[in-house]
Amino acid sequence: MVFLGCLIMHDLKVIARGAGLVFLGFLISKPLAYLYRVVLARFLGPEELGIFSMGLAVVGIVTVFGAIGLYQGVLHFVVVYQSKGQPEKVRGTVLGSLKIQLITSLVAAAFMFFAAEVIAIDIFQQPGLVLVLKLLALTIPFQIIVSNFMILAQAFKKIEYKVLLRNLLENIAKLVLTFWLVFIGLGAVGASLALALAGAFALAVSFVLIQKRVFSIFASGEKTVYNLKELFGYSWPLFAVGFFMLIMGNIDTISLGILNTAYNTGIYNVATPTARILEIPSFALAALFLPVVTGLYANKKMDELGRTYKTVTRWLFSTTFPCTLFALLFAKEILSTMFGSVYSQGWPALAILALGFCIFYTLNAVRSMLQPLAKTKFVLYNTIAAAVLNIFLNIFLIPLFGIVGAALATALSYIFWSSLAFFEVYAAIKIHPFSKAFWKPTIASLLAAALFFTGKRIIPPIDSYQFPLKLILLVVAGAAFLAVYATILIGIKGLQQEDIEILKAIESKTGMKIAFVRNLIKRFI
């Protein structure tokens, strides 16, 4: 029993370390990705940014087909065969997936390369998109094989290599190459070439890391047993989930490109990544929430599960809602400061997307609950339903309202996606994620927003200043808004003893040491 307990504690520490590294990678990649979008917007302008965004959306969908959903299957079977002491099957899974994806990725790249003119001219009516698509086609094999290598790093518990390469080095290479090539005037073509070069760099580095530090791909004389039938059987449902999730993320750009103009597509594609910054709190809490509620549900501790469910959802709301209100108040200033004054016209789309993503990310715990409840099939059904709704709403709303229509379609689809999960979870366990305590962060957020709304009518607007002073003022305004919100929340006793108990449960289940957070909360209860 002692030995078993030690094994469990070791596994929990591995989980906690992995979750921490994944979150670190997210914190590294999110600002770099946003800075990348800033560089594109400022150097390309709305028209070329729109063309490049169309290319990225198309290559994203083609890449999913080229990958044929094998990533999670590789992760699953490598871990399973390792635990069973079957190295020959581990090797078969690794080599089999690489061989298959090498072929499928080359086929996908060839398809996109030779279909570029049809896609660009006949579908998007954008001749300038042809060369962009052909260059982006070169990135498909790089992206698929590098992703396979990163899954291997994860399977062999070498998450740090994934963080180092995918989150840091590849993003830096992409940013530097893009800045250089668009700065010298190559436009969207230069941005596409930069992605191809960054992909080649990532492939070379990831191969060396995997070969030398994780798994010897070219070791001779090793016994290999392939399990392709099992691999495909496990992977195809996950391929469907990945495909429809990609549709959710790209159909607005594709629809705008077909039904509207490249200029407006470019404007829209600075609003979307800005609104998605709201994802940060939910990403952090999701990794901690799932192992806790999985254990509680397995042991039928429904009262504790309900308290955890409600508390974590309140935390998500408490961190996401005030940021959303700030984005609504300063939508025009955020876009003009970060991307240039020409992009400020996208502020209505940013406001709508921020509201939609606020609801979506607040209900992140709801969607996560489907896993411990063994309702994973609903993840596929919900994703398909939301993607189909998104397609129809884009087709209907974009001709009527342009980028505002695309934002409405996206926001409503994401809200619908979360609503399905909410009713499914409630039907299964008769527990909802809301509590009376929600009124406190709501009041604190609204009071802070009212104060800053009044201030905006009195003091000179941020846009009246020049860059970089306006950037400094925007950052100061954001920090001040959050400080005012936090002060009001503490003043109305928005922090509770229950928060400390849930944090203790998270520490117990994951092995993470977050006593400093508990001690901080204690001071304000």
Side-chain angles (χ1 to χ4, degrees):
M1 288 295 293
V2 174
F3 177 68
L4 179 59
C6 290
L7 283 178
I8 292 171
M9 286 303 297
H10 176 266
D11 287 343
L12 289 174
K13 288 179 180 178
V14 170
I15 291 170
R17 177 177 177 272
L21 285 171
V22 169
F23 183 56
L24 174 63
F26 180 79
L27 288 181
I28 292 171
S29 64
K30 199 73 174 177
L32 288 174
Y34 195 69
L35 182 58
Y36 172 70
R37 188 69 62 163
V38 170
V39 169
L40 287 173
R42 285 189 170 271
F43 282 94
L44 295 184
E47 183 86 19
E48 282 205 279
L49 177 61
I51 291 173
F52 182 65
S53 298
M54 294 176 208
L56 288 180
V58 173
V59 76
I61 292 175
V62 176
T63 300
V64 167
F65 281 101
I68 58 175
L70 292 185
Y71 302 133
Q72 293 305 312
V74 171
L75 177 61
H76 173 78
F77 284 110
V78 167
V79 172
V80 167
Y81 293 142
Q82 272 187 311
S83 67
K84 291 181 177 180
Q86 298 176 316
E88 70 282 357
K89 288 191 174 182
V90 171
R91 188 164 191 80
T93 300
V94 173
L95 295 183
S97 65
L98 283 172
K99 290 175 181 178
I100 292 168
Q101 287 190 322
L102 180 60
I103 295 171
T104 57
S105 66
L106 290 173
V107 170
F111 165 79
M112 185 163 163
F113 186 89
F114 291 109
E117 290 190 16
V118 173
I119 295 170
I121 297 173
D122 295 345
I123 297 178
F124 288 96
Q125 287 84 50
Q126 293 289 343
L129 183 58
V130 175
L131 187 53
V132 168
L133 287 175
K134 289 188 174 184
L135 287 171
L136 289 177
L138 302 177
T139 69
I140 294 175
F142 300 147
Q143 288 298 316
I144 291 174
I145 301 303
V146 170
S147 295
N148 191 305
F149 285 157
M150 294 303 96
I151 286 292
L152 287 182
Q154 185 177 344
F156 285 95
K157 299 181 177 63
K158 299 291 184 181
I159 299 289
E160 60 270 25
Y161 294 148
K162 184 177 181 180
V163 173
L164 174 65
L165 176 67
R166 183 120 276 186
N167 299 125
L168 182 61
L169 295 180
E170 186 176 5
N171 274 306
I172 290 175
K174 182 172 68 174
L175 183 61
V176 171
L177 288 167
T178 299
F179 179 82
W180 171 47
L181 291 173
V182 299
F183 181 77
I184 64 175
L186 294 183
V189 171
S192 305
L193 179 59
L195 281 187
L197 293 174
F201 165 77
L203 178 61
V205 175
S206 63
F207 174 76
V208 171
L209 281 175
I210 296 300
Q211 179 70 17
K212 299 291 186 181
R213 300 293 184 91
V214 179
F215 182 87
S216 182
I217 298 170
F218 293 115
S220 59
E222 296 282 348
K223 184 178 179 182
T224 304
V225 176
Y226 293 98
N227 62 327
L228 299 183
K229 185 176 180 180
E230 285 181 292
L231 185 61
F232 277 109
Y234 183 88
S235 299
W236 80 262
L238 299 172
F239 163 75
V241 172
F243 172 73
F244 284 103
M245 287 185 71
L246 200 69
I247 289 293
M248 285 293 291
N250 289 287
I251 193 61
D252 45 4
T253 295
I254 291 174
S255 299
L256 273 171
I258 295 173
L259 301 173
N260 207 266
T261 64
Y263 185 93
N264 284 339
T265 304
I267 298 292
Y268 181 82
N269 271 275
V270 300
T272 303
T274 303
R276 286 187 182 275
I277 292 175
L278 294 171
E279 180 186 8
I280 292 175
S282 73
F283 189 93
L285 288 171
L288 303 176
F289 173 72
L290 193 55
V292 174
V293 295
T294 299
L296 292 175
Y297 184 73
N299 292 298
K300 303 303 178 185
K301 296 181 178 180
M302 303 307 291
D303 289 340
E304 291 182 46
L305 184 146
R307 285 196 298 272
T308 304
Y309 186 30
K310 292 174 187 289
T311 300
V312 171
T313 302
R314 176 168 55 82
W315 290 352
L316 288 169
F317 179 75
S318 299
T319 51
T320 304
F321 187 55
C323 296
T324 301
L325 291 184
F326 181 81
L328 295 181
L329 283 173
F330 293 91
K332 186 178 292 187
E333 290 86 349
I334 291 170
L335 294 181
S336 65
T337 300
M338 299 306 300
F339 302 101
S341 58
V342 68
Y343 293 97
S344 63
Q345 60 192 288
W347 74 264
L350 173 56
I352 293 167
L353 289 168
L355 285 171
F357 287 142
C358 175
I359 296 171
F360 181 74
Y361 294 134
T362 294
L363 296 179
N364 190 39
V366 177
R367 296 188 304 280
S368 296
M369 281 291 292
L370 292 173
Q371 295 184 50
L373 298 180
K375 302 290 185 183
T376 50
K377 64 181 178 181
F378 287 121
V379 175
L380 174 60
Y381 301 154
N382 295 349
T383 307
I384 293 174
V388 171
L389 176 65
N390 202 353
I391 292 170
F392 280 108
L393 286 176
N394 272 286
I395 293 172
F396 177 70
L397 293 174
I398 287 175
L400 296 175
F401 305 112
I403 63 172
V404 171
L408 281 170
T410 299
L412 291 172
S413 300
Y414 275 84
I415 294 170
F416 173 71
W417 195 0
S418 290
S419 299
L420 291 176
F422 171 83
F423 288 113
E424 288 156 0
V425 171
Y426 185 78
I429 59 176
K430 298 297 184 289
I431 299 175
H432 63 76
F434 307 113
S435 65
K436 293 179 181 178
F438 267 69
W439 74 267
K440 293 182 179 180
T442 303
I443 292 297
S445 299
L446 291 174
L447 286 175
L451 180 63
F452 273 72
F453 178 76
T454 303
K456 279 190 69 178
R457 299 170 65 89
I458 299 172
I459 63 175
I462 291 176
D463 276 345
S464 64
Y465 298 93
Q466 296 297 314
F467 191 88
L469 179 58
K470 65 191 299 187
L471 175 60
I472 296 171
L473 292 174
L474 184 64
V475 172
V476 170
F481 185 93
L482 293 178
V484 170
Y485 162 73
T487 302
I488 297 172
L489 185 65
I490 292 168
I492 60 178
K493 305 296 183 182
L495 301 177
Q496 302 177 5
Q497 182 64 35
E498 194 173 60
D499 297 330
I500 296 176
E501 299 304 319
I502 300 302
L503 286 171
K504 284 182 179 178
I506 289 173
E507 282 187 290
S508 174
K509 288 291 181 183
T510 65
M512 296 184 73
K513 301 301 181 184
I514 47 178
F516 71 96
V517 180
R518 290 191 285 108
N519 294 332
L520 182 64
I521 293 174
K522 281 181 183 178
R523 298 181 62 181
F524 298 108
I525 293 179

